[in-house]
Amino acid sequence: METLTSSTRPVPKHPGLPMLGNTLPFMRDPLAILQTLQQRYDRLVHLNIGGRHQYLVMTPEDAKHVLQENHRNYGRSPAFRVLQIFLGNGLLTSDGDFWRRQRRLAQPAFHRQRLAALAQTMISETTDWITELSRLDKSKPVNISQAFMDVTMRIVCKTLFSSNVVGKLDGLSEALETLMHLSNNRMLSPFRFPMSWPTPPQRRFRRAAQVVDTFIYGVIDQRRRSNERYDDLLDMLLYAEDEDTGDWPNSGRMSDKQLRDECVTIFAAGHETTAVSMAWTMHLLTQHPDVQARLRDEVNERLGDAATPAPETFRSLTYAMQVIQESMRLYPPAWIMSRLAHADDQIGPYTIPAGDTALVSPYLLHHDPANWPDPERFDPERFAPGWEKERHSYAYLPFGGGPRLCIGNQFALMEMQILLTMLVRAFAFQPIPNQRVKPQPLITLRPKRPVWLLMSNQIS
Ligand code: HEM
């Protein structure tokens, strides 16, 4: 780490209103303001959003500094506190030694070999989903955003809790959706009642939380008593043992509360992000029939007409992966990340003061013409094999970076590749004339309105 020197200069401050600072434009149209900031400043800019001093880093080098090289100086920002009401102290919201231990315990559940077993679940869920889609009336448009929310929900629930809970998942999915929705609203609302107040949304929140907790604690209890093993994430988390901390409760294993928090976190972090990313990808494919045709050629060649393709087959679909990567470049679901500085941090000639927030925006970095020429153009060729050698590794960070890199990144990429390729093999997609699809940056960067499209069955 560089040390503070007399060459320290004040960070350029973006002009705003007295008291409110830059809050309003950030609430109204954050992507537009990111674009303005990118044109006006070259390294770091000081913003006042929601009464807090926030420092946006603008280069891949500085993003790497905050997320990786000096990550120990940065913790979870206050934005994560709202999520804690729903997620408890899981991987996404926890910090410090507690987080480090949890990450160590959870990591093996996401190893490559483990993912192969989960891929089987993804393939069979996708096969059932495609059968359902093939029964739809094809003369009518399909709400593909909703369809992806349904299937990714099924996949995350099945990969977490396995098939021994089939039938009970319906009430659970609804309750989890309610919790996500209400937390989203609370996070974005400038006025928050204490959680103990019995307002109607908070009563709904409590009811939903009870459904989720009863379900998860019930499954945990059943697993602990039966000692039966399953091919799912919960099994991995239940039996994960931390040898360095044998004196923790449960001899280095997670407590029931910790298991509950990690399950809900995996659900929340992994469900909407994947669904939103798939909706963008399908939208882009309807706008670019040439890319759709090339993708279909690859899929037909590699997958053939196998009813349930083997998991290894998907790895050879390189163009499909390029399409997904380019879609996440244009529309990274996690469009901005924030960190709280514990101590002053020197970024070149500037200082981020202790107690303030550093912001890293994958959206900004992915749309910077210095990193990505003609950045608004959709071109999967940017990710042709070898692309990593030509760019700074932090010019592209849909899954974040450093030690807090998304633990589910390989899981998500595999799931998206399976969904995309099996869909494209089964159907052809056309746009709805005059549909305008615009991004809306909430917690995730989702399309403002659901994406609708026309589908026709492929003739094999
Ligand atoms: C397209 C899909 C996904 C995207 C774009 C995405 C993106 C991200 C990003 C950017 C972070 C880092 C946040 C930060 O540093 O502040 C993150 C963290 C995380 N993600 Fe994902 N994610 C996706 C899918 C998934 C899936 C499928 C799972 C689980 C099955 C998952 C579980 C997690 C967890 C547990 C964390 C917290 C990790 C930690 O701090 O140790 N994500 N994700």
Side-chain angles (χ1 to χ4, degrees), residues 351-425:
T351 302
I352 297 183
D356 287 344
T357 305
L359 297 174
V360 177
S361 167
Y363 183 89
L364 181 136
L365 292 163
H366 294 185
H367 288 252
D368 186 343
N371 306 325
W372 303 96
D374 196 3
E376 302 312 316
R377 191 165 53 89
F378 173 65
D379 179 10
E381 275 312 305
R382 296 179 202 268
F383 291 93
W387 68 274
E388 298 97 329
K389 291 189 206 109
E390 288 163 31
R391 308 215 143 64
H392 192 285
S393 55
Y394 277 65
Y396 182 67
L397 55 168
F399 294 107
R404 305 220 57 156
L405 178 80
C406 174
I407 202 171
N409 66 346
Q410 294 301 326
F411 179 113
L413 289 172
M414 192 165 69
E415 179 179 2
M416 289 194 282
Q417 220 178 9
I418 290 171
L419 285 169
L420 177 67
T421 54
M422 289 180 72
L423 257 188
V424 163
R425 186 176 67 160

Side-chain angles (χ1 to χ4, degrees), residues 10 22-23 31-32 74 100 110 117 151 170 178 188 211 299 324 420 449:
N22 315 105
T23 308
L31 301 184
Y74 291 96
R100 244 180 298 284
F110 292 90
V151 70
D170 287 347
T178 306
L188 300 168
V211 171
V299 170
I324 291 165
L420 177 67
R449 296 204 193 87

